[in-house]
Amino acid sequence: MKEQEAELKADRLSPHVFRIAVPTITLPPLDKTNTYVVHAGTDAIVVDCGSEDTATVAQVAKVIRSEGIDNVIAYIATHYHLDHTRGIPLLQQHFPAPVYAHPLDHAGTAKEMNVPTADLRAPSGVMHLSDVNLRIMHRPGHTHGHLHVMIEPDNLLIVGDHMAGVGTVWIGPPDGHMNDYYRALEDIAESPANLALPGHGDPIESPQEASRALLAHRLEREAGILQLLSEAPRTVDDIVTAIYGDRGLGPALWVATRTTQAHLTRLIELGQVTRRAQAPKFQMVYSRRR
């Protein structure tokens, strides 16, 4: 289905928040990125918009207007990746407003939006829409400038690409850092949120339990990597093959590879793993520290 053939609609999540699942270029099996609209009266703040299709973004604008909104006062990019930012300039043509992103993601956001970095603003701690507060928190992990947005009083937490409605998310260099991601998951687990609103897929109920389960999964994967390295030194490709076998990752292979690299980086920082270059291709070989 082409992007412009998709029928977009508002999925109401609370009195002040709805989402629009927008077709984007993203990782399968997901083919949409959520745009969240937080509003009070006729004013709104839009979080993420990733479609580069003009007709699709025109539909996004139509849906926003159908909810009684005629003024967008700001855009927030949870992080710079194209499936979260490419549509913002197109939506600005319908609703002009400044764009806020964390300064650590300004360079990437400007590149994806094709604008000067000077056009981007750094978010303050809180944005206000009448009696609605958007508490913007720097939560690196997926990227260095990744943001979470707590919407009060609705107690909804936008978590960007730190959680997904289906499956897990990827964390990898040079953008991401596994230890930062663990801290972001711990913050979600300690939050009062009733729902976590991910970048892709449906809202996540019991976000505290879900984030703890994600953390446990990642730590289990780390333990598996350590076990493999206890048996023999291995390259990243060796580790990925041992973990995923013949599951046919296809286009997702690079995701598994980069996430494995992020785990290895953390284990090196913890002093549990060493690495060295091995001839003839000078591949990095990882060993468990004895």
Side-chain angles (χ1 to χ4, degrees):
M1 179 182 290
K2 295 180 181 178
E3 288 189 15
Q4 57 265 36
E5 295 175 349
E7 292 186 7
L8 305 186
K9 61 184 181 67
D11 178 17
R12 176 62 59 180
L13 304 175
S14 75
H16 301 106
V17 183
F18 62 89
R19 73 161 176 152
I20 308 169
V22 182
T24 59
I25 299 171
T26 191
L27 291 173
L30 299 168
D31 59 359
K32 297 178 177 67
T33 301
N34 292 321
T35 291
Y36 293 102
V37 182
V38 184
H39 64 98
T42 60
D43 296 333
I45 293 173
V46 175
V47 181
D48 289 347
C49 187
S51 174
E52 9 184 9
D53 181 72
T54 302
T56 296
V57 177
Q59 286 192 55
V60 172
K62 182 178 179 180
V63 172
I64 291 173
R65 287 196 176 94
S66 74
E67 294 295 312
I69 296 161
D70 58 22
N71 182 40
V72 171
I73 68 168
Y75 296 91
I76 300 171
T78 57
H79 60 291
Y80 81 84
H81 290 159
L82 63 88
D83 55 330
H84 293 258
T85 56
R86 283 274 178 93
I88 293 176
L90 295 174
L91 197 53
Q92 284 178 306
Q93 295 176 19
H94 299 269
F95 301 104
V99 180
Y100 292 82
H102 192 277
L104 290 175
D105 270 12
H106 274 191
T109 303
K111 179 180 178 181
E112 297 299 349
M113 289 178 53
N114 194 27
V115 300
T117 55
D119 285 1
L120 302 173
R121 300 186 184 182
S124 58
V126 181
M127 290 184 176
H128 303 282
L129 276 169
S130 185
D131 59 345
V132 180
N133 297 325
L134 289 81
R135 186 155 49 88
I136 303 168
M137 300 165 286
H138 180 211
R139 296 292 182 265
H142 186 62
T143 68
H144 299 306
H146 195 285
L147 300 173
H148 289 179
V149 182
M150 174 64 85
I151 302 158
E152 302 166 337
D154 300 46
N155 272 358
L156 304 183
L157 181 62
I158 298 174
V159 296
D161 276 0
H162 280 163
M163 302 179 81
V166 176
T168 59
V169 300
W170 70 273
I171 307 295
D175 297 332
H177 189 275
M178 195 61 73
N179 230 22
D180 288 340
Y181 179 53
Y182 289 176
R183 284 192 288 267
L185 290 177
E186 290 166 354
D187 285 339
I188 296 169
E190 295 169 2
S191 80
N194 296 324
L195 287 175
L197 308 185
H200 308 275
D202 292 335
I204 298 167
E205 298 182 353
S206 304
Q208 296 78 12
E209 180 181 345
S211 59
R212 291 188 185 102
L214 276 175
L215 179 56
H217 171 72
R218 295 261 61 96
L219 290 171
E220 183 180 359
R221 176 56 47 79
E222 243 168 51
I225 291 171
L226 280 174
Q227 179 57 42
L228 287 170
L229 297 181
S230 295
E231 298 166 2
R234 301 175 191 260
T235 67
V236 170
D237 290 345
D238 292 337
I239 295 168
V240 171
T241 299
I243 291 172
Y244 295 97
D246 57 358
R247 285 167 55 179
L249 295 176
L253 176 61
W254 70 269
V255 173
T257 300
R258 286 175 70 175
T259 300
T260 300
Q261 289 171 329
H263 277 302
L264 289 166
T265 298
R266 179 175 184 272
L267 292 169
I268 289 169
E269 291 170 352
L270 292 174
Q272 297 181 37
V273 167
T274 62
R275 65 181 171 186
R276 61 182 174 83
Q278 176 177 278
K281 296 182 179 180
F282 293 98
Q283 287 182 297
M284 298 307 299
V285 176
Y286 297 84
S287 304
R288 185 161 187 178
R289 187 182 291 276
R290 300 299 180 182

